[in-house]
Amino acid sequence: QVQLVESGGGLVQAGGSLRLSCAASRRTLTMGWFRQAPGNEREFVAAHSWSGPSTYYADSVKGRFTISRDNAKNTVYLQMNNLKPEDTSVYSCAARDGTGFVWSAKEYSYWGQGTQVTVSS
């Protein structure tokens, strides 16, 4: 089992920045971020895998968001810059030990509780 604890959400104006953190109780191969707005399906945002290592991003956040990991702290970060109102969502951290499509929520075994990010226009 892996426990994930997220922090860093909040309210920010468009063009602003936020950094999300997710601390895991142990190391996993891949950690990622997903988001879900009311009435929408959960969507992939970014992921980091120690296989490579490699990072992956959704097209909608490329160039604005950066995912990174601190191996010593078993923590993944999501630096979000130039935020837009359409980024408003609940952001959830996810982790998995196995391989597979990093953008598929079904491939992740462990999930955090989610943190709200609200971007005002």
Side-chain angles (χ1 to χ4, degrees):
Q1 278 288 354
V2 178
Q3 284 73 48
L4 303 174
V5 179
E6 300 137 334
S7 60
L11 172 65
V12 65
Q13 288 189 330
S17 299
L18 283 174
R19 189 176 82 153
L20 305 182
S21 300
C22 175
S25 55
R26 63 165 175 85
R27 175 175 163 153
T28 57
L29 178 63
T30 302
M31 294 185 75
W33 290 95
F34 290 77
R35 66 187 183 186
Q36 187 169 21
N40 291 353
E41 293 188 356
R42 179 180 286 171
E43 65 171 341
F44 170 76
V45 177
H48 177 284
S49 174
W50 287 120
S51 176
S54 299
T55 56
Y56 308 84
Y57 296 95
D59 288 342
S60 58
V61 306
K62 277 182 184 176
R64 300 189 298 122
F65 291 11
T66 302
I67 190 169
S68 60
R69 284 174 80 174
D70 185 328
N71 188 35
K73 297 181 180 180
N74 291 330
T75 298
V76 65
Y77 304 97
L78 186 68
Q79 177 66 44
M80 305 185 293
N81 298 329
N82 190 21
L83 282 160
K84 304 175 181 180
E86 51 264 43
D87 293 318
T88 295
S89 193
V90 174
Y91 285 71
S92 296
C93 174
R96 68 180 196 192
D97 293 310
T99 59
F101 296 119
V102 296
W103 54 86
S104 173
K106 296 185 298 182
E107 301 288 344
Y108 291 81
S109 302
Y110 312 108
W111 290 85
Q113 77 282 3
T115 185
Q116 177 70 46
V117 170
T118 303
V119 184
S120 62
S121 57

